[in-house]
Amino acid sequence: MKDQSGRRKRKRTGGLRRPSSNKKRHELGREPAETTVGEPRFRVIDSRGNETKTRALSTNVAQVATGEETVEADIEGVDENPSNVNYVRRNIITKGAVIATSEGQARVTSRPGQTGQVNAVLLDE
């Protein structure tokens, strides 16, 4: 098991440090959703408290803000993703990604793996 506090795994004497406790339920993490471009697929998961999260596993629609109004646009692909260079090749949408839509290039402002929808702002060409 991984040492939880970020300390070294071994003591000065060479002995192995063991974690004093297992992870509690609220410390557990989940795998990232890695929302792709494609036929819409969603998964509802339980979250802390009496709440749920809707994970977008794949989607092809984005709500794009063009000035004062918001229009629904089709996603054609991912042009740039600052979180991971390989996400462009794999067409994975995360917050901050630049996507190609039917309205033009747009930057994603929502977190599709947490909210289940893609909100974006149109970029000036």
Side-chain angles (χ1 to χ4, degrees):
M1 181 163 186
K2 188 171 186 280
D3 196 9
Q4 293 168 332
S5 61
R7 291 189 311 244
R8 293 183 55 189
K9 287 185 180 174
R10 296 202 173 266
K11 305 179 207 174
R12 255 185 327 149
T13 57
L16 195 64
R17 267 190 217 274
R18 297 277 181 199
S20 57
S21 65
N22 292 331
K23 286 189 179 181
K24 293 179 171 52
R25 187 170 182 270
H26 70 270
E27 294 173 330
L28 294 173
R30 289 190 174 98
E31 293 297 313
E34 293 191 339
T35 306
T36 57
V37 178
E39 197 61 37
R41 290 187 304 128
F42 302 96
R43 178 163 296 150
V44 177
I45 59 165
D46 286 337
S47 62
R48 190 163 180 192
N50 193 21
E51 297 294 323
T52 59
K53 288 182 183 179
T54 304
R55 290 205 192 283
L57 302 179
S58 65
T59 185
N60 56 8
V61 177
Q63 312 299 322
V64 179
T66 59
E68 298 89 39
E69 60 188 38
T70 304
V71 294
E72 196 169 274
D74 293 328
I75 300 173
E76 294 159 3
V78 178
D79 288 345
E80 183 186 330
N81 199 325
S83 60
N84 191 331
V85 292
N86 295 318
Y87 282 2
V88 177
R89 183 171 47 84
R90 294 166 59 195
N91 267 346
I92 292 177
I93 306 168
T94 58
K95 181 176 177 176
V98 176
I99 56 175
T101 66
S102 54
E103 298 291 317
Q105 280 197 327
R107 184 176 302 281
V108 179
T109 58
S110 64
R111 298 172 70 192
Q114 307 277 337
T115 62
Q117 62 185 7
V118 178
N119 298 334
V121 177
L122 207 59
L123 295 177
D124 297 329
E125 298 296 325

